[in-house]
Amino acid sequence: MNDMRVVERDVDINELKMKARDVDVFYGDIHAIKNVDVDIEDKTVTAFIGPSGCGKSTFLRCLNRMNDTIDICRVTGTITLDNEDIYDPKVDPVQLRAKVGMVFQKPNPFPKSIYDNVAYGPRIHGLSSNKADLDQIVERSLRRAALWNEAKDRLNEPGTGLSGGQQQRLCIARAVATNPEVLLMDEPCSALDPIATAQVEELIDELRSQYSVVIVTHSMQQAARVSQKTAFFHLGELVEFGETGHIFTNPDDPRTESYITGRIG
Amino acid sequence: MPLLWTLTIVLLLGAAGYVLGRRRAIASAGGDVRLLHSLPGYYGTNVAMFTIVPALLVLSVWMLIQPMIIQSQITAMISDSAIEAAGSRDLVMTDVRRVANGLDSAIAEGGLTEDEARALRTDSSDIRARLAETGVALGGDVTPEVLNAAQQYRTLSRTGNLLLSATVLVLAGLGLGYAYSRTHQEFRARNAVERAILSILMLASTIAILTTVGIVFSMLFETFNFFQLYPWQDFFFGLEWRPSFEGGSDLGLIPLLWGTIYISIIALLVSVPIGLFAAIYMAEYSSKRTRSIVKPLIEVLAGIPTIVYGLFALITVGPMLRDYFAEPLGLGTSSSSVMTAGIVMGIMLIPFISSLSDDIINAVPQSLRDGSYGLGATQSETVKQVILPAALPGIVGAVLLAASRAIGETMIVVLGAGAAARLDLNPFEAMTTVTVKIVGQLTGDTDFSSPEALVAFALGLTLFVITLGLNVFALYIVRKYREQYE
């Protein structure tokens, strides 16, 4: 893992985008997340790593209130976006999700054309005033997701007809099209082959220039490659959170060291 | 030998075959089951199968063919004059069969001995009275010709039955012997049983298809007869439905078809929105608990017999529509109307649409919902833009299935819309459907050589073709769009 320091780690100048304090999550009687504090900085890739079932995806879904769609899930503590509490009753979770976009583990394009997939968010939120405007948003989003060259001639074909890696980039384009401030990615490469993974990782690094990206991953190499900050979760607790280089080379907690060296997890 | 005995013996042979086959297999492996290719039970099953299956197949085919052969031989014996006297060939044959069966049961009950039965003469004994004693009633006196035919009938059936029993038993024995001799350690009994199971499954599906073909053909022949008596142009394009059994009737399909379509459309207009919205509520909005209560409650509607719906239409919906809508609006004074039948039929179809659509909506992957919510869509936006388009082929299929139900419905129409064939746009007017007229033409005294009765088959075939077309179309839609989210 000598490539860890390849990425420039100039994160100190970025300001805070999201802040989580004392967050606990319960699924019915199960205490899934225990007292987690995390700071997510703007224009930074933050990676959540940890063994399966450690709660990293659950915590990710708290950040855009996707857990609201699960009946038995209960979240306590405060999570703020730009210093506003997102669990405040005044906040509309639907509006919040437009600002905090999400890309899922399995590519899930809608059974519509490629164009309609990307235009879905802008149409719902009224981001375009006319067709030309919308065309432009679609093109920009597809370009940003590095899919434009492959998709520009087949915009009217169904999105489900693309390959797995293309579908996932389409989902990223779809999320980017709504102009989010934060982009959450839940194991975005776990269903992809190494070449598609490399493309998506490259894309994540580019997205960092405009968005704050939070990525959950099972691959520690991936976390090391794409992220500047890393949080290690274990059994629902946040064991360690800090700069990626620091976590992977010189972790403070023995559990972190055991995990990244392959002794637990 | 009675059939039941033959059957029992075959089954007993089969059971014996199982035990023998199993034992021989184990013996061939020197008592070590692990040396066998298959489990011992498979060897037993294989022998039992070879014993039973061919025997039973021959038995069933024979039983289908024997009556036909006897029938044709007896028919040849009967003179044309006898047929003319009785009215038709079928009537004479019925008499022959009754006398033959009567003699058989008289012998079985001890009223006659075998020799007495054979010696019966029409002139020396009153057969009608003697048979009446044993509980067989005959319509008229037995002519010598009929008695003769009946005696011949008995002889033929007895020989046939004896031959049948002998063939079946010999076949069972042969099958047992063959399979038993093949039973050996190396024999792949498991694969043989597997193939047999495959053919049983194939047989089951073939029977279903053949039945459909049989239904179509039976309708086709009668329809053909009808079109020989009545011009097809007048049937398909006739605007009048006025059957009269004295002849010279108008048998136009259009008014009936119009009634059918009109009522079905109203039924679908009622059931599709209500059923679909109920399904969306159950699948997307309600809590698990609510759903577990609401869904069975809606499905109760599907369990109500259609005649009960008909009563509801007749005594509640019909008069209500007449008193509150039709009469104040000056649209009619009839309590049976297209509207009544359509609305009640729509209520009947709600559970169809809602249950099927609910299942289909639930089958839309959760990841699509998550994707939509993750982009900041509300629940109804998600339903409208993602879930319904994804579920559309299935929903269309459900609607088309409901439509075929509506087209085939009879009872609600009889009680709700009346029986007057009319070509009219007013939904508060009584009309009728194809199915009602099929029932109408075939109830009571019917002469199956008149176009007024045979038209029922033409109507039935038309209906069958329409619903078949709808179902094929539904399947096509479902197939074409199914793979989109898989």
Side-chain angles (χ1 to χ4, degrees):
Chain A
M1 288 194 199
N2 290 328
D3 57 345
M4 253 165 254
R5 293 193 176 277
V6 172
V7 183
E8 278 296 309
R9 305 203 182 274
D10 52 349
V11 289
D12 297 344
I13 49 162
N14 290 327
E15 55 194 64
L16 217 53
K17 191 69 187 171
M18 294 190 86
K19 193 167 76 174
R21 288 292 175 269
D22 305 326
V23 174
D24 287 84
V25 180
F26 302 88
Y27 282 118
D29 293 332
I30 300 160
H31 197 170
I33 297 281
K34 294 165 191 156
N35 201 20
V36 168
D37 296 350
V38 168
D39 292 332
I40 290 161
E41 287 162 9
D42 204 9
K43 303 197 187 339
T44 305
V45 178
T46 309
F48 291 173
I49 60 168
S52 290
C54 69
K56 53 196 189 306
S57 286
T58 302
F59 182 72
L60 188 79
R61 291 165 67 96
C62 289
L63 297 179
N64 68 345
R65 293 186 61 174
M66 276 303 277
N67 286 332
D68 288 16
T69 59
I70 300 164
D71 287 334
I72 53 164
C73 184
R74 197 157 53 81
V75 180
T76 64
T78 53
I79 301 175
T80 62
L81 173 68
D82 294 330
N83 290 322
E84 265 183 68
D85 186 357
I86 64 169
Y87 279 89
D88 192 282
K90 278 187 299 196
V91 173
D92 179 5
V94 170
Q95 289 299 321
L96 171 75
R97 287 183 204 133
K99 280 196 245 173
V100 184
M102 189 154 193
V103 175
F104 296 86
Q105 183 170 359
K106 243 178 81 184
N108 55 349
F110 301 134
K112 299 167 177 285
S113 69
I114 295 174
Y115 184 94
D116 287 339
N117 261 287
V118 181
Y120 185 80
R123 276 187 181 138
I124 284 178
H125 301 294
L127 298 183
S128 62
S129 46
N130 54 43
K131 177 83 169 75
D133 223 11
L134 192 61
D135 287 348
Q136 215 179 357
I137 293 178
V138 170
E139 180 177 346
R140 198 174 56 224
S141 309
L142 283 171
R143 275 190 196 287
R144 207 166 281 171
L147 193 61
W148 177 249
N149 288 334
E150 290 151 80
K152 67 179 173 212
D153 297 326
R154 43 195 289 204
L155 288 177
N156 290 318
E157 285 172 34
T160 41
L162 296 170
S163 74
Q166 288 172 327
Q167 286 190 12
Q168 192 63 300
R169 277 179 285 151
L170 177 64
C171 291
I172 293 173
R174 191 174 70 184
V176 168
T178 51
N179 259 333
E181 295 166 24
V182 181
L183 204 53
L184 307 179
M185 296 185 161
D186 190 354
E187 297 180 38
C189 301
S190 64
L192 305 183
D193 68 20
I195 294 167
T197 302
Q199 284 169 326
V200 172
E201 282 179 12
E202 203 175 316
L203 181 59
I204 291 170
D205 202 48
E206 277 165 31
L207 292 174
R208 181 162 72 93
S209 61
Q210 271 149 330
Y211 312 101
S212 159
V213 179
V214 184
I215 177 171
V216 165
T217 176
H218 269 293
S219 152
M220 281 169 286
Q221 285 88 341
Q222 185 172 58
R225 281 194 298 263
V226 301
S227 72
Q228 289 77 51
K229 289 284 191 110
T230 297
F232 170 58
F233 286 81
H234 187 56
L235 300 174
E237 286 174 52
L238 178 65
V239 174
E240 198 168 344
F241 177 53
E243 273 189 48
T244 301
H246 181 75
I247 294 261
F248 278 98
T249 51
N250 191 16
D252 296 331
D253 196 290
R255 282 173 293 177
T256 316
E257 194 183 349
S258 310
Y259 182 68
I260 60 177
T261 53
R263 272 198 292 265
I264 61 167
Chain B
M1 190 176 337
L3 189 64
L4 193 66
W5 275 103
T6 319
L7 208 62
T8 319
I9 292 175
V10 168
L11 290 180
L12 281 178
L13 275 176
Y18 180 85
V19 176
L20 286 173
R22 198 172 179 280
R23 195 175 295 160
R24 185 177 159 107
I26 294 175
S28 76
D32 189 350
V33 176
R34 280 173 302 174
L35 294 179
L36 289 172
H37 170 270
S38 317
L39 288 174
Y42 280 115
Y43 292 94
T45 313
N46 183 49
V47 176
M49 242 164 40
F50 269 93
T51 315
I52 296 173
V53 174
L56 288 193
L57 273 182
V58 167
L59 182 72
S60 46
V61 171
W62 191 303
M63 281 172 62
L64 274 178
I65 293 174
Q66 181 177 315
M68 285 191 227
I69 295 175
I70 293 180
Q71 178 106 0
S72 68
Q73 292 204 355
I74 301 288
T75 318
M77 286 172 62
I78 294 169
S79 64
D80 287 345
S81 59
I83 292 168
E84 224 150 276
S88 86
R89 190 177 292 264
D90 285 348
L91 287 178
V92 182
M93 282 311 297
T94 315
D95 257 1
V96 170
R97 266 199 303 274
R98 285 183 75 93
V99 172
N101 289 339
L103 290 176
D104 278 342
S105 59
I107 291 165
E109 280 174 30
L112 284 172
T113 64
E114 188 65 52
D115 292 334
E116 276 175 343
R118 217 167 286 161
L120 275 179
R121 292 283 172 276
T122 39
D123 42 2
S124 64
S125 51
D126 186 1
I127 297 174
R128 194 175 169 196
R130 291 196 76 162
L131 289 183
E133 279 168 34
T134 61
V136 180
L138 291 177
D141 276 328
V142 182
T143 62
E145 197 171 359
V146 168
L147 181 66
N148 204 0
Q151 296 285 22
Q152 183 66 20
Y153 184 91
R154 289 186 59 219
T155 324
L156 281 177
S157 350
R158 204 170 16 192
T159 337
N161 284 346
L162 258 177
L163 262 174
L164 168 64
S165 299
T167 319
V168 166
L169 290 183
V170 166
L171 207 61
L174 281 179
L176 191 145
Y178 174 69
Y180 183 76
S181 68
R182 287 221 300 166
T183 301
H184 184 260
Q185 183 186 348
E186 300 290 322
F187 178 62
R188 302 189 173 180
R190 201 175 168 203
N191 307 29
V193 172
E194 192 65 35
R195 273 197 299 279
I197 287 174
L198 174 70
S199 44
I200 289 173
L201 298 179
M202 272 164 62
L203 188 72
S205 59
T206 321
I207 286 175
I209 295 168
L210 284 183
T211 315
T212 316
V213 173
I215 291 174
V216 171
F217 271 99
S218 72
M219 305 276 280
L220 216 54
F221 286 131
E222 299 293 348
T223 309
F224 186 70
N225 289 339
F226 169 68
F227 283 130
Q228 291 198 318
L229 295 170
Y230 194 85
W232 64 270
Q233 302 94 328
D234 291 1
F235 173 71
F236 283 114
F237 304 113
L239 298 180
E240 291 285 343
W241 177 267
R242 223 169 335 172
S244 94
F245 281 96
E246 285 105 49
S249 37
D250 290 315
L251 300 170
L253 172 70
I254 302 287
L256 305 183
L257 206 57
W258 168 244
T260 304
I261 292 171
Y262 203 177
I263 292 176
S264 304
I265 286 176
I266 293 179
L268 289 179
L269 284 181
V270 172
S271 59
V272 170
I274 298 180
L276 195 55
F277 290 169
I280 291 172
Y281 171 72
M282 285 192 294
E284 294 295 313
Y285 289 85
S286 72
S287 66
K288 267 213 181 86
R289 233 181 89 81
T290 324
R291 183 165 184 265
S292 70
I293 298 168
V294 172
K295 197 172 181 190
L297 279 182
I298 293 180
E299 278 164 4
V300 166
L301 280 179
I304 299 175
T306 54
I307 186 78
V308 176
Y309 277 111
L311 290 177
F312 178 58
L314 184 70
I315 59 170
T316 313
V317 179
M320 216 165 72
L321 282 175
R322 181 193 57 200
D323 295 345
Y324 294 104
F325 292 97
E327 282 189 338
L329 293 171
L331 287 172
T333 55
S334 158
S335 72
S336 10
S337 65
V338 170
M339 209 55 163
T340 312
I343 289 176
V344 174
M345 207 190 276
I347 296 170
M348 177 194 83
L349 294 178
I350 288 174
F352 268 90
I353 308 257
S354 75
S355 261
L356 284 171
S357 309
D358 176 55
D359 291 343
I360 292 155
I361 291 173
N362 266 322
V364 174
Q366 180 63 31
S367 67
L368 288 185
R369 287 185 192 93
D370 284 347
S372 177
Y373 294 145
L375 290 169
T378 63
Q379 223 164 352
S380 74
E381 284 166 348
T382 305
V383 167
K384 200 171 69 198
Q385 309 216 15
V386 175
I387 303 211
L388 285 186
L392 194 65
I395 292 171
V396 169
V399 170
L400 289 179
L401 279 183
S404 358
R405 262 303 288 250
I407 289 172
E409 179 51 45
T410 316
M411 276 307 160
I412 295 177
V413 183
V414 177
L415 296 180
R422 192 176 282 138
L423 204 52
D424 201 332
L425 271 177
N426 181 357
F428 292 101
E429 202 63 76
M431 283 183 209
T432 198
T433 62
V434 175
T435 50
V436 172
K437 282 302 160 197
I438 293 178
V439 176
Q441 293 312 101
L442 291 184
T443 34
D445 280 336
T446 44
D447 173 6
F448 271 89
S449 54
S450 73
E452 285 76 19
L454 287 175
V455 70
F457 294 98
L459 290 175
L461 193 65
T462 314
L463 209 58
F464 176 81
V465 169
I466 293 175
T467 47
L468 184 75
L470 267 182
N471 284 347
V472 168
F473 185 61
L475 276 180
Y476 167 77
I477 295 265
V478 171
R479 287 246 172 89
K480 180 164 180 198
Y481 297 101
R482 180 164 52 191
E483 289 162 334
Q484 288 219 323
Y485 56 78
E486 270 167 10

